[in-house]
Amino acid sequence: MSHLKKIVFLVIVLTVLVSCKAGSKEKSCAPNCQYSDLVVGLLQTGSEGGWRAANTASFKETAEQLGLTLKFYDSQNDLAKQVAGFQQFVEDPEVNVIVLQPLEVTGWEQVMKDAQEAGKTVVLSDRRIDGLEDYYVTFIGADFVEEGRKAGREMCALLDGSESKKVWELVGNVGASAAIDRGVGFRETAKECGIEVTKSQTANWSVVDGKQVTEAWLKETKDVQGIFGQNDEMAFGAIEALKEAGLTPAVDVKLISVDATAGAFQAMLDGTLNVTVECNPLLAPQVYEAALAAMNGETLPKWIPSEESIFFMDDPNLQSIADGRKY
Ligand code: GYE
């Protein structure tokens, strides 16, 4: 091969290499990206209950409907696994969007910086993290503090007129924003009517742990007027424990939970749960829409709160509401 041909060949090779490298760093489809251009790496917490199942279904079904590519990573409720999964997506040249549903509020600094360096678009979903606002385009999720406030207000209403207002709290994963913030909000409004949170302990969002923790507390005392489960599953565990201790749930002891899953509607229809505060798991359409907008260069608000309601055992329309729900 002549000298000139060698130089031309090398220039072509270098051009291809540089453009490939640049491609993995830039939104190569911008400003006309379509959903079909998105390759989304989703870091899911795990499969800990009804809310999570509905949330996972939302991401998988919506990805298919929109025609985007979804790479799903199950962190199995293990923070180290979730951070490792995040790094895998940073290093995956096909992935241009990373969606993080963080198990805990801390532990993200290095991988978030690596993602920015690699030119990935990062969207926070479901739960928030501490700081690092410059490293994600937006957070789409509930106002957990307000969910806690709603639960506190409703517990005040349920205990109105009660001589004693001792309430026990079943907490989600320690370090999760949903657990931290719901606890803050609940105490803000519960204290306004004289509620005392006399016991509070993690039950890891689960039925089994919710039952075990409540059983242990009941062995110490039955002087409790209300139980606040930070999610439905933990409240279901408390209901089982109360029944086995000879107490009538929702009557002897008032119960409030968060999520408003199908199980909560059934518990209210069975007369064992007084109130459930909704937390919407069907976040995927908003998340994918935000990712596409960011890929096309739009600037988004740092937080897009989801809209939510409250549901009551005493609602005469409860059955028809339950029949009309997706999860
Ligand atoms: O309340 C709980 C799940 O992050 C809002 O996580 C979600 C919470 C939800 O385990 O059931």
Side-chain angles (χ1 to χ4, degrees), residues 33 50 229 258 274 317 320:
C33 298
V258 184
N274 298 93
N317 303 313
S320 60

Side-chain angles (χ1 to χ4, degrees), residues 48 51-52 126-127 144 178 182 205 230-231 233 258-259 279:
E48 71 273 15
W51 192 96
R52 195 59 58 192
D126 171 17
R127 299 177 185 171
F144 297 134
R182 286 172 183 165
W205 306 118
Q230 288 191 349
N231 82 334
E233 277 77 11
V258 184
D259 280 348
C279 178

Side-chain angles (χ1 to χ4, degrees), residues 138-152:
T138 189
F139 161 50
I140 292 175
D143 181 343
F144 297 134
V145 176
E146 183 54 26
E147 290 175 351
R149 292 191 191 106
K150 289 176 182 175

Side-chain angles (χ1 to χ4, degrees), residues 11-31:
V11 167
I12 290 168
V13 169
L14 279 173
T15 307
V16 169
L17 284 175
V18 167
S19 61
C20 286
K21 183 72 180 155
S24 69
K25 279 183 175 289
E26 289 153 14
K27 305 356 180 203
S28 49
C29 54

Side-chain angles (χ1 to χ4, degrees), residues 44-45 47-52 55 77 101-102 125-127 142 144 147 172-173 176-179 182 204-206 230-234 258-261 277 279-281 283 308:
Q44 182 56 292
T45 58
S47 52
E48 71 273 15
W51 192 96
R52 195 59 58 192
N55 178 252
N77 282 298
Q101 302 207 133
S125 172
D126 171 17
R127 299 177 185 171
F144 297 134
E147 290 175 351
N173 280 126
S177 63
R182 286 172 183 165
N204 295 308
W205 306 118
S206 82
Q230 288 191 349
N231 82 334
D232 294 337
E233 277 77 11
M234 294 187 289
V258 184
D259 280 348
T261 57
V277 174
C279 178
N280 180 9
L283 301 174
E308 296 160 342

